[in-house]
Amino acid sequence: MSVQERKQRERAVRERLIVATARELAEQQGWDAVTTRRLAERIEYSQPVLYSHFRGKREIIGAVALQGATELAVAMRAATSAADGPRARVHALASSYLDFAAHNPAVYDALFQLDGGLAYAQEDTPEPLKDAFAALLECLGEVAGEGVEPELFTEVFWAALHGVATLTRSGRLPPEETGPRVDLLVDRLAVV
């Protein structure tokens, strides 16, 4: 292995460590607790080393969001692939989405609430974000209904899921009613 290859590998390891540490800190204490100073202390590197990877917290949030988008897409695809029939797939998709949001609140915030400097719904949208939307579309496109644009239906269904996730987490909706909300979404919005 050449010196350059070794340095690139070490750089990639440091970058993964920074992202994992930021994510862990955000999940434990919230995004306000994630500072470059605190991250540098936790990973035992200097702040200039952090800045050699990320220009600041915004880029770190973006990196966590991209990682989260990949994980969300995998979770939704796994849930839908195990389901039998369109209704069961949509229900599994909605449940896996809401479970992801509930179990990864800081990552969910990085994806959908905070400014990570990422473009959404544009040509330059990063692939992990496009893939997460594609995971929704793969399932929801088949239940959009006749004459309904699958992408538009997916956006509306996703918006409903996001609303349920956000309102439940903020305590504005009781969590014990999440199941009936998913049933209602599936029964009223999806043509199955």
Side-chain angles (χ1 to χ4, degrees):
M1 174 183 303
S2 73
V3 172
Q4 184 177 359
E5 289 172 327
R6 181 183 53 79
K7 285 183 179 185
Q8 287 175 337
R9 186 172 40 114
E10 290 171 355
R11 181 173 175 75
V13 168
R14 267 193 319 270
E15 193 165 299
R16 285 193 301 273
L17 178 62
I18 293 166
V19 172
T21 304
R23 181 176 176 165
E24 178 183 317
L25 188 56
E27 290 292 2
Q28 291 171 353
Q29 299 177 30
W31 278 105
D32 287 342
V34 179
T35 64
T36 54
R37 181 178 182 184
R38 201 174 222 179
L39 284 174
E41 289 171 2
R42 283 216 175 179
I43 65 171
E44 298 178 347
Y45 282 100
S46 67
Q47 283 183 292
V49 169
L50 243 86
Y51 285 115
S52 74
H53 289 274
F54 300 99
R55 286 183 277 185
K57 183 175 175 177
R58 181 178 185 218
E59 284 188 4
I60 294 169
I61 290 169
V64 170
L66 293 177
Q67 187 180 73
T70 299
E71 293 170 9
L72 177 58
V74 167
M76 290 187 297
R77 286 189 176 109
T80 58
S81 71
D84 187 30
R87 185 186 191 290
R89 279 192 292 280
V90 174
H91 198 282
L93 174 93
S95 295
S96 69
Y97 182 96
L98 293 172
D99 285 347
F100 182 88
H103 292 100
N104 303 281
V107 175
Y108 193 81
D109 284 349
L111 268 164
F112 302 119
Q113 303 289 89
L114 301 174
D115 179 10
L118 303 173
Y120 285 77
Q122 298 173 24
E123 281 188 37
D124 61 340
T125 297
E127 279 307 311
L129 298 178
K130 288 180 182 179
D131 189 51
F133 184 78
L136 289 163
L137 181 60
E138 289 161 11
C139 178
L140 295 171
E142 70 177 315
V143 296
E146 192 174 322
V148 177
E149 184 65 38
E151 289 84 2
L152 181 62
F153 178 77
T154 299
E155 290 171 353
V156 170
F157 199 93
W158 173 28
L161 287 176
H162 176 69
V164 170
T166 303
L167 292 170
T168 301
R169 191 165 130 218
S170 69
R172 287 167 175 80
L173 294 176
E176 62 274 5
E177 294 297 318
T178 299
R181 286 186 196 96
V182 169
D183 291 339
L184 185 61
L185 273 174
V186 173
D187 291 341
R188 299 294 183 200
L189 291 181
V191 178
V192 288

